[in-house]
């Protein structure tokens, strides 16, 4: 179970890859806040950002207002919206406590290509919040709630969201091309230790 953000009136929904990972082709159920239920179709995923797009067959849906995550700063008040621990449509409040946080949690295969640039907050986020909106005081989505720092699989004070500017680019590519198009250069950045220096 998880959460999602409606990004188009015709049914495209942004969520986390880990929410829909390994889902069967007919195994995604979407329940809207008005209790309507739909079968969701997986449009595409991007493991390197932990994002995914699903679609439901419906029109004239209410759409979230997407903000500009480049305008977010430490100390800003934010709200996490989602379905934690099966508690439908729950809102928690916090502040942004750090920006550009790398956690090294996405890249299971250690490719070095994962894109981690998390917004860190102290808004309470628990299992079920994944894929839900992090919004500013104007109600604009500025992040997609994705992870928590924890020793017991429950909220212990810090949560992390993917910046919406990164999520928008990823979602647009998935919708348009079915995959994310990004450039690579043929070098990797790595710290030099004594062995390498020698």
């Amino acid at each position: 179970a998880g959460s999602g953000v409606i990004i188009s009136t015709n049914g495209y929904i942004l969520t986390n890859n880990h929410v829909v990972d390994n889902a069967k082709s007919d195994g995604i159920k979407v329940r809207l806040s008005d209790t309507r239920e739909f079968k969701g179709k997986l449009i595409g995923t991007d493991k390197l950002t932990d994002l995914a797009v699903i679609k439901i067959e419906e029109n004239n849906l209410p759409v979230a207002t997407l903000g500009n995550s480049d305008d977010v700063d430490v100390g800003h008040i934010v709200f996490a919206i989602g379905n934690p621990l099966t508690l439908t449509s729950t809102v928690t409040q916090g502040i942004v406590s750090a920006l550009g946080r790398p956690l090294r949690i996405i890249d299971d295969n250690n490719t070095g290509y994962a894109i981690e640039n998390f917004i860190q907050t102290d808004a309470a986020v628990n299992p079920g919040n994944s894929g839900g909106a992090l919004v500013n005081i104007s109600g604009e989505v500025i992040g997609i709630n994705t992870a928590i720092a924890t020793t017991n699989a429950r909220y212990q004070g810090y949560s992390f969201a993917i910046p919406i500017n990164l999520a928008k680019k990823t979602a647009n590519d998935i919708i348009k091309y079915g995959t994310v198009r990004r450039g690579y250069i043929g070098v990797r950045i790595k710290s030099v230790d004594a062995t390498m220096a020698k």
Side-chain angles (χ1 to χ4, degrees):
S3 303
V5 177
I6 299 173
I7 57 173
S8 74
T9 58
N10 63 339
Y12 285 103
I13 300 170
L14 181 60
T15 187
N16 283 133
N17 174 64
H18 74 259
V19 170
V20 296
D21 199 24
N22 299 320
K24 295 178 182 177
S25 58
D26 62 347
I28 299 174
K29 180 169 69 174
V30 176
R31 181 181 296 125
L32 302 184
S33 58
D34 62 10
T35 72
R36 287 184 294 166
E37 292 188 1
F38 299 88
K39 183 177 287 188
K41 177 184 178 184
L42 183 61
I43 301 301
T45 64
D46 181 45
K47 290 188 176 183
L48 297 180
T49 54
D50 192 20
L51 290 165
V53 175
I54 60 178
K55 188 176 189 307
I56 60 175
E57 293 305 318
E58 183 65 13
N59 290 304
N60 302 315
L61 291 167
V63 177
T65 301
L66 305 185
N68 181 359
S69 51
D70 289 344
D71 292 339
V72 177
D73 210 346
V74 172
H76 283 183
I77 296 171
V78 289
F79 304 91
I81 304 172
N83 306 296
L85 309 173
T86 70
L87 300 170
T88 305
S89 298
T90 296
V91 180
T92 56
Q93 178 187 335
I95 64 165
V96 174
S97 52
L99 297 169
R101 183 75 74 193
L103 299 178
R104 293 174 175 73
I105 59 170
I106 293 177
D107 193 3
D108 292 338
N109 298 323
N110 205 25
T111 65
Y113 293 124
I115 301 172
E116 295 194 3
N117 183 30
F118 291 108
I119 299 168
Q120 178 181 301
T121 81
D122 63 352
V125 167
N126 276 293
N129 271 114
S130 290
L134 184 72
V135 304
N136 60 21
I137 59 173
S138 299
E140 300 167 329
V141 180
I142 49 97
I144 300 296
N145 296 312
T146 300
I148 54 177
T150 181
T151 58
N152 64 5
R154 294 293 184 269
Y155 174 76
Q156 290 180 304
Y158 302 101
S159 57
F160 304 91
I162 298 165
I164 198 62
N165 289 3
L166 172 60
K168 277 192 287 192
K169 197 279 183 194
T170 301
N172 288 338
D173 273 10
I174 289 173
I175 292 168
K176 189 171 182 179
Y177 306 110
T179 186
V180 178
R181 302 173 71 175
R182 57 174 62 96
Y184 296 93
I185 57 174
V187 297
R188 272 200 196 165
I189 307 301
K190 184 176 181 180
S191 298
V192 178
D193 57 22
T195 304
M196 182 176 287
K198 186 175 179 180

